[in-house]
Amino acid sequence: MAQHSAHDSHGGHDQGAHGSLKSYLTGFVLSLVLTVIPLLVVLNDWLEGTPAMVVLLGSAVLQFVVQLLFFMHLREEGKPRYNLMTLLLGIFILVLIVGGSIWIMTYNQVAH
Amino acid sequence: MAHMGAHAHSHDEHHDLESMRLMGFWIFLITDCILFGTLFATYIVLHGNTAGGPTASELFEMPGVIAETFILLTSSFTSGLAVLSMNQGNRKGLIGWLVVTALLGASFIALELTEFVKLVHEGATISTSGFLSGFYVLVGTHGLHVSLGLVWMTALMIQLGRRGITNVTRRKVNVISLYWHFLDVVWIFVFTIVYLMGVM
Amino acid sequence: MLDQIKEFASGFFVTGDPLIYGADVAIAMTMIAVVSVLTYFKKWTWLWREWLTTVDHKRIGIMYVIASLLMLFRGGVDALLMRLQLAVPNNDFLTPEHYNAIFTTHGVIMILFMAMPLMFGLFNLVVPLQIGARDVAFPFLNSLSFWLFFFGAMLFNVSFVIGGSPDAGWLSYPPLSGKAFSPGVGQDFYIWGIQISGIGSLATGINFVVTILKMRAPGMKLFKMPMFTWSVLSSSLTILLAFPILTVTIALLFIDRYFGAHFFTLDGGGNPMMYINLIWMWGHPEVYIVVLPAFGIFSEIVATFSRKRLFGYASMVFALMSIAVFSFTTWAHHFFTMGSGADVNAFFAITTMAIAIPTGVKVFNWLFTMYRGRISFPTPMMWTMGFIPCFIVGGMTGVMLSVAPADFQFHNSYFLIAHFHQVLIGGVAFGYFAGLYYWWPKVFGFKLNEKIGKWAFWLWNIGFYVCFMPQYALGLMGMTRRMSTYGWDRGWWELNLTSTIGGFLMGIGFLFQVWQILHSIKFMEKDTTGDPWDARTLEWSIPSPAPHYNFATIPVVDSKDAWWEEKQRLVQGEAPKPKPPLEPIHMPKNSGIPFIMGFCWFVAGFGLVFDWLWMAIPGLLGVAGCMLAHSFNYNTDYYIPVDEIKATEAAARRSV
């Protein structure tokens, strides 16, 4: 029931998500740093308003990227990169529905 | 001869089947992203609707939340170490790191439950306001995912003990470690959007 | 004690309406008949072994089709009851409460329990055969999807006789669907019926994306896939991005009702409009989910019966995929009247108009495919011809609705009703009928009677226009949707009566289709060629019905219309490609777990509907137990030996 399709058959590129201790350590340290930065910003009231939002969301997004690259081995995917493509499509739709909902619903704060 | 040919072929097929399953799981995680995205959208839209009840900055206590964050982050790292041990063919190391990951996950859940119980005792329940409904369901859905992951991880450890590292168990370990990293990423956004922005 | 039982039963069962008592009797008699036939012919083990536990995509597809046709019957009866009620003014055939329940179940059943499973049925019956695969990527999950759909649909339908039907519209807007205004169990049946089958739909989406991306025959590059497979890919991608939103939305409604949360309530900081925003974030992509595969079906049929390669392959792919993505950018046009302001309404009006462009591209592609083709008109092609004008008019009125200021007039009037029935019947239903007629010989090994089929086609088509054209006018005359009756002074009755006549013509068309199937089973006209339409894609290269492993040897593909090209080569006297030697075929074993797990969900759902934790908790534990049992089961596959393949192939050739 399973068979190779013509151009997907470089022998289980997804299966051998290898990584090394070094890449895991790098990822861990980067994640720690990216968690501590927004924490310090908020606890010490270094920034307010929009700049604070940018730093907070920016660190979160960066940390997402760090985990994708160092922990989830997105870099090691062989071609065609279906995993990357579906992820990008998913993120596009995600941003669309979250952003769109907020935009639409800010005009409708009838009930507080 | 024929038998050997069939055997070699079947080995190849199994390998491909497992990589297909890993891809299926990756796509499932993307659907889960959308699920959490919808919950985030709901929380963000409702977070100002406190209906006279307590607000985010009045309720949240950061020390516990910070501890939860670092515990989950570390467990994401240790689940990676489990995969690393597996790739080196080290079954004891694999199970050992999975145990560490599960214990960290369990302490995360314990801390989260403690926080919820405390909030409820302060009178901040799911039916207090739209804001708190959104909070409990968003954070609780993440907690439920972690709890299911714990059950699943335990089942996997039993299978690893019985069968060792095979193509099938290897794929299962890869899948659960992906799941665990994914939950860590979701938590980073919960931490940022719910807690940090809540007390800001 | 007896009084207690009586009191419980009078609340538990739906009572007081002769129509429902009649239905009760009919349901009971059908069930007794089914059970006695199975017992008399000693078919219980056969049913379990061959069908309930099967993981074969072809059998799962057949079960989807049967279930969805039954649901089409029920949804259709709902529709005819509504049309009877509206045929004359001041009618008291249905009470307003009963009318509310009927338009709700009509909508839910037609979209979620008729269109979706019929679509999944066609996915299952066709896609693996079309891409040269032996099954879908995850056969166990495929079976699970079916049983989740089946038990979800059963849970929803049970509300008809037990507890009472939901009656807050097919999307169950709060606050009406909240606990305060709908305290009965109808809404809970709605929630759990949809939730359980929704999980199954999501799993099917994942399954087909992986199947199409990873299991194509060697040489079949993405841009050599048949167009139906492309449409399934675009539809499946849309499913897996849209269905999680439905899951969350319905779950939040449940949490509101069950735990007293304030997501969508009027008090406590809830916001009902947020529900409407969320449900349409799923609901708009959903209509594209069901219509995209129909576009794929028409593309196959037009190419086959014009004896020409599909015109504009690349633009067709581009149109399908861009519709899949842009279906997520138009949802607010369902609530222009919410008053989100000019910015929001303008943005969503423009995106809505823009999405008509790729749809228009496809219509031109079909027309150019037929241009200078050698066209023949068997029933699948007739439905395609019926579709094109119908869908164009439906699309045009859709563009009218997308003009936000004008929508304030059209909103929730019969103009809207006519519009979406025109795209859903003219697009989706006609498309799936065309697909069923087209692939029927491949699935069952015999052709359907063309003469009766043409009668059915004309009844449906004429009935459609007689039914829905008057509704555009009624909408502009001020008739709003969901009204259970109206007075003589409105001047609406002539058009309403006409519309009812059209509805019944479609009902007769359905009866003709049933007759067509029964007649064709009796006077079976066997398809001995495996390729009755002289078609173009791989599914026609194997015997009808396909053997359970589909392909004895996996085909190697080097062009778009692989089977057509191969036939051309044979005609020109080239020797057929040498086939590689047979090898044992790796197949998944049947499993009873999906059926049992679906049943456990049904038990859990029923318990949660009535707030009976003693029933819900064991149900949920059963679900968890099934998952663990599956996880610990490593004995899931087997090999078909070469001798058996040889025997099966020889038998198939004998019948050829």
Side-chain angles (χ1 to χ4, degrees):
Chain A
M1 60 132 289
Q3 70 265 346
H4 293 285
S5 60
H7 51 294
D8 302 343
S9 50
H10 344 235
H13 46 266
D14 303 325
Q15 181 62 350
H18 281 97
S20 65
L21 185 62
K22 198 178 143 212
S23 75
Y24 276 111
L25 271 174
T26 324
F28 187 47
V29 172
L30 281 176
S31 297
L32 286 175
V33 172
L34 287 169
T35 311
V36 170
I37 292 173
L39 199 56
L40 288 176
V41 167
V42 169
L43 293 184
N44 298 329
D45 293 323
W46 285 348
L47 291 170
E48 276 182 2
T50 315
M53 292 291 221
V54 171
V55 172
L56 260 54
L57 283 176
S59 317
V61 170
L62 276 180
Q63 182 158 185
F64 176 36
V65 174
V66 165
Q67 298 243 347
L68 276 176
L69 295 182
F70 292 95
F71 287 180
M72 299 188 186
H73 313 289
L74 195 63
R75 281 179 300 181
E76 294 164 32
E77 194 195 13
K79 282 181 185 171
R81 308 189 72 155
Y82 291 134
N83 284 8
L84 180 66
M85 287 189 258
T86 45
L87 178 73
L88 289 176
L89 178 63
I91 290 173
F92 174 71
I93 300 294
L94 182 87
V95 171
L96 203 69
I97 60 176
V98 175
S101 292
I102 295 167
W103 186 42
I104 293 169
M105 296 309 292
T106 44
Y107 291 94
N108 194 280
Q109 293 291 323
V110 277
H112 280 274
Chain B
M1 277 299 282
H3 177 74
M4 275 177 64
H7 185 73
H9 189 63
S10 82
H11 182 75
D12 208 30
E13 266 182 354
H14 278 298
H15 197 65
D16 209 42
L17 192 59
E18 300 308 329
S19 89
M20 209 153 67
R21 287 176 173 156
L22 199 61
M23 179 179 180
F25 192 76
W26 177 269
I27 293 176
F28 163 75
L29 285 185
I30 288 165
T31 68
D32 230 17
C33 277
I34 303 282
L35 183 137
F36 277 107
T38 314
L39 288 171
F40 272 110
T42 310
Y43 173 79
I44 295 169
V45 167
L46 295 179
H47 84 282
N49 300 4
T50 49
T55 63
S57 53
E58 289 164 14
L59 278 179
F60 298 154
E61 290 179 13
M62 289 312 281
V65 178
I66 294 170
E68 284 173 49
T69 306
F70 284 107
I71 287 174
L72 205 62
L73 188 53
T74 313
S75 83
S76 184
F77 176 59
T78 56
S79 82
L81 294 181
V83 173
L84 218 52
S85 303
M86 175 179 75
N87 289 341
Q88 289 154 359
N90 178 356
R91 177 160 78 164
K92 272 192 184 156
L94 164 60
I95 296 179
W97 283 119
L98 283 181
V99 170
V100 174
T101 309
L103 287 176
L104 287 170
S107 43
F108 170 88
I109 290 294
L111 277 173
E112 188 165 82
L113 283 179
T114 320
E115 187 203 356
F116 278 13
V117 169
K118 197 159 149 290
L119 289 179
V120 170
H121 275 291
E122 287 170 11
T125 68
I126 194 169
S127 52
T128 305
S129 65
F131 152 63
L132 281 167
S133 303
F135 165 78
Y136 277 110
V137 172
L138 171 58
V139 181
T141 305
H142 177 268
L144 191 66
H145 272 74
V146 176
S147 313
L148 287 176
L150 291 176
V151 176
W152 181 12
M153 214 180 268
T154 316
L156 183 52
M157 285 187 272
I158 298 170
Q159 292 174 31
L160 282 168
R162 281 193 197 162
R163 293 171 187 274
I165 302 170
T166 66
N167 262 337
V168 177
T169 53
R170 183 187 293 276
R171 181 259 309 170
K172 289 187 176 183
V173 173
N174 276 326
V175 159
I176 201 164
S177 92
L178 266 187
Y179 182 70
W180 209 255
H181 299 315
F182 165 77
L183 291 181
D184 189 35
V185 169
V186 173
W187 179 257
I188 293 301
F189 283 90
V190 171
F191 177 65
T192 308
I193 291 173
V194 176
Y195 290 103
L196 287 180
M197 291 187 180
V199 298
M200 197 166 75
Chain C
M1 183 67 195
L2 193 68
D3 286 342
Q4 273 177 324
I5 292 174
K6 260 190 191 164
E7 200 185 307
F8 168 78
S10 69
F12 187 69
F13 294 106
V14 178
T15 50
D17 191 319
L19 272 176
I20 292 187
Y21 289 132
D24 283 347
V25 174
I27 291 171
M29 291 199 6
T30 315
M31 280 169 75
I32 292 169
V34 170
V35 170
S36 9
V37 166
L38 284 170
T39 312
Y40 182 79
F41 291 104
K42 299 199 173 72
K43 286 287 185 189
W44 284 104
T45 29
W46 167 82
L47 184 70
W48 176 257
R49 278 213 194 124
E50 301 287 318
W51 293 94
L52 302 190
T53 62
T54 187
V55 292
D56 181 345
H57 67 98
K58 300 177 286 297
R59 297 200 165 191
I60 291 172
I62 291 172
M63 292 195 290
Y64 268 124
V65 170
I66 293 172
S68 63
L69 292 180
L70 288 174
M71 288 292 108
L72 176 63
F73 174 71
R74 188 195 155 181
V77 170
D78 281 349
L80 294 182
L81 289 176
M82 281 190 285
R83 279 320 318 169
L84 272 181
Q85 163 67 19
L86 293 175
V88 288
N90 298 330
N91 198 352
D92 58 1
F93 171 61
L94 298 175
T95 62
E97 293 75 23
H98 199 171
Y99 189 84
N100 290 348
I102 286 182
F103 70 64
T104 303
T105 53
H106 168 73
V108 174
I109 286 176
M110 285 303 201
I111 295 283
L112 287 164
F113 300 131
M114 190 284 279
M116 289 294 280
L118 192 48
M119 173 180 91
F120 290 146
L122 290 166
F123 282 18
N124 270 292
L125 293 173
V126 178
V127 169
L129 300 181
Q130 222 173 29
I131 62 172
R134 292 215 166 103
D135 207 323
V136 294
F138 312 118
F140 176 89
L141 190 68
N142 197 21
S143 159
L144 183 60
S145 294
F146 173 77
W147 290 111
L148 289 178
F149 147 71
F150 181 82
F151 283 107
M154 287 304 108
L155 188 61
F156 184 85
N157 277 280
V158 154
S159 68
F160 183 57
V161 286
I162 292 175
S165 296
D167 53 4
W170 84 280
L171 284 182
S172 251
Y173 283 1
L176 178 57
S177 61
K179 200 80 180 167
F181 300 101
S182 293
V185 295
Q187 286 309 313
D188 301 295
F189 275 117
Y190 174 93
I191 288 169
W192 287 104
I194 290 182
Q195 197 70 292
I196 291 169
S197 67
I199 301 168
S201 305
L202 190 58
T204 308
I206 296 176
N207 215 335
F208 278 89
V209 169
V210 179
T211 305
I212 293 171
L213 291 183
K214 297 289 253 186
M215 292 181 68
R216 299 188 308 280
M220 189 184 278
K221 301 213 167 83
L222 279 175
F223 274 82
K224 285 182 179 158
M225 293 198 307
M227 196 50 64
F228 179 66
T229 303
W230 265 113
S231 72
V232 174
L233 180 64
S234 63
S235 170
S236 301
L237 282 170
T238 315
I239 287 176
L240 57 91
L241 296 168
F243 265 75
I245 308 173
L246 174 70
T247 307
V248 170
T249 312
I250 301 283
L252 297 183
L253 183 63
F254 170 72
I255 292 168
D256 262 7
R257 291 177 59 88
Y258 196 83
F259 296 104
H262 292 290
F263 287 105
F264 312 126
T265 54
L266 286 171
D267 58 339
N271 189 342
M273 286 313 295
M274 186 61 190
Y275 179 93
I276 295 167
N277 174 64
L278 289 176
I279 199 91
W280 282 114
M281 271 171 15
W282 160 78
H284 196 78
E286 164 68 13
V287 297
Y288 284 100
I289 288 169
V290 290
V291 85
L292 285 171
F295 294 158
I297 293 168
F298 295 130
S299 302
E300 300 289 343
I301 290 174
V302 163
T304 298
F305 296 110
S306 303
R307 300 275 171 271
K308 266 180 74 189
R309 173 173 284 197
L310 184 67
F311 181 88
Y313 181 92
S315 64
M316 207 67 150
V317 172
F318 176 75
L320 286 171
M321 295 317 260
S322 60
I323 289 176
V325 173
F326 289 106
S327 67
F328 285 91
T329 62
T330 64
W331 77 90
H333 69 217
H334 293 272
F335 46 98
F336 278 148
T337 54
M338 179 176 97
S340 298
D343 293 355
V344 172
N345 280 6
F347 175 84
F348 284 97
I350 291 167
T351 53
T352 306
M353 293 173 202
I355 207 167
I357 296 169
T359 318
V361 167
K362 283 205 283 284
V363 172
F364 282 110
N365 281 339
W366 292 317
L367 295 179
F368 285 128
T369 306
M370 286 190 289
Y371 178 67
R372 294 194 146 180
R374 273 177 291 135
I375 308 174
S376 55
F377 288 100
T379 38
M381 189 65 170
M382 291 188 77
W383 286 99
T384 309
M385 294 300 98
F387 150 81
I388 292 178
C390 193
F391 197 77
I392 288 175
V393 175
M396 291 294 181
T397 54
V399 175
M400 286 171 75
L401 281 158
S402 78
V403 180
D407 181 68
F408 276 67
Q409 292 302 315
F410 302 138
H411 187 75
N412 276 0
S413 74
Y414 260 78
F415 188 89
L416 170 80
I417 304 297
H419 156 70
F420 75 68
H421 281 93
Q422 190 148 23
V423 283
L424 284 173
I425 297 180
V428 178
F430 284 13
Y432 294 172
F433 287 156
L436 269 185
Y437 284 118
Y438 182 59
W439 281 299
W440 186 279
K442 177 52 59 190
V443 175
F444 295 102
F446 63 92
K447 284 172 105 169
L448 286 173
N449 182 292
E450 285 280 310
K451 201 174 168 192
I452 311 174
K454 287 185 179 168
W455 273 94
F457 167 81
W458 286 111
L459 281 164
W460 266 98
N461 259 267
I462 296 168
F464 176 84
Y465 289 98
V466 174
C467 182
F468 289 103
M469 291 301 123
Q471 294 189 5
Y472 283 116
L474 282 169
L476 297 177
M477 289 159 80
M479 183 168 170
T480 56
R481 73 193 294 193
R482 292 174 180 168
M483 55 195 315
S484 64
T485 191
Y486 53 92
W488 287 99
D489 53 339
R490 294 284 184 177
W492 294 343
W493 74 272
E494 299 93 333
L495 288 173
N496 267 304
L497 185 61
T498 315
S499 180
T500 301
I501 292 168
F504 274 86
L505 285 178
M506 286 191 277
I508 298 168
F510 179 75
L511 292 182
F512 266 80
Q513 287 175 307
V514 176
W515 178 33
Q516 181 188 13
I517 293 174
L518 295 178
H519 183 274
S520 309
I521 291 174
K522 196 170 171 210
F523 302 98
M524 195 170 286
E525 189 193 335
K526 277 214 163 135
D527 166 34
T528 51
T529 58
D531 184 15
W533 310 116
D534 192 14
R536 315 176 74 82
T537 40
L538 282 179
E539 71 270 34
W540 305 103
S541 68
I542 50 177
S544 309
H548 66 293
Y549 47 77
N550 297 353
F551 295 89
T553 53
I554 296 295
V556 179
V557 175
D558 51 17
S559 60
K560 272 173 201 155
D561 294 323
W563 175 234
W564 179 260
E565 299 295 333
E566 170 128 0
K567 282 189 291 190
Q568 295 306 314
R569 274 196 292 267
L570 291 181
V571 168
Q572 284 160 12
E574 284 180 37
K577 279 186 213 162
K579 291 206 167 175
L582 293 176
E583 286 182 47
I585 294 176
H586 183 214
M587 295 293 284
K589 271 189 187 165
N590 283 1
S591 170
I593 292 177
F595 178 83
I596 298 168
M597 192 157 146
F599 181 72
C600 289
W601 268 115
F602 180 87
V603 172
F606 197 84
L608 284 164
V609 165
F610 284 95
D611 196 5
W612 293 340
L613 288 182
W614 56 266
M615 188 168 174
I617 290 170
L620 290 172
L621 287 177
V623 171
C626 287
M627 285 168 135
L628 284 174
H630 179 59
S631 176
F632 278 86
N633 181 14
Y634 278 64
N635 181 19
T636 53
D637 40 15
Y638 71 104
Y639 281 87
I640 307 177
V642 173
D643 295 342
E644 194 184 323
I645 304 169
K646 277 184 184 153
T648 315
E649 290 293 304
R653 264 195 298 277
R654 255 201 307 286
S655 75
V656 163

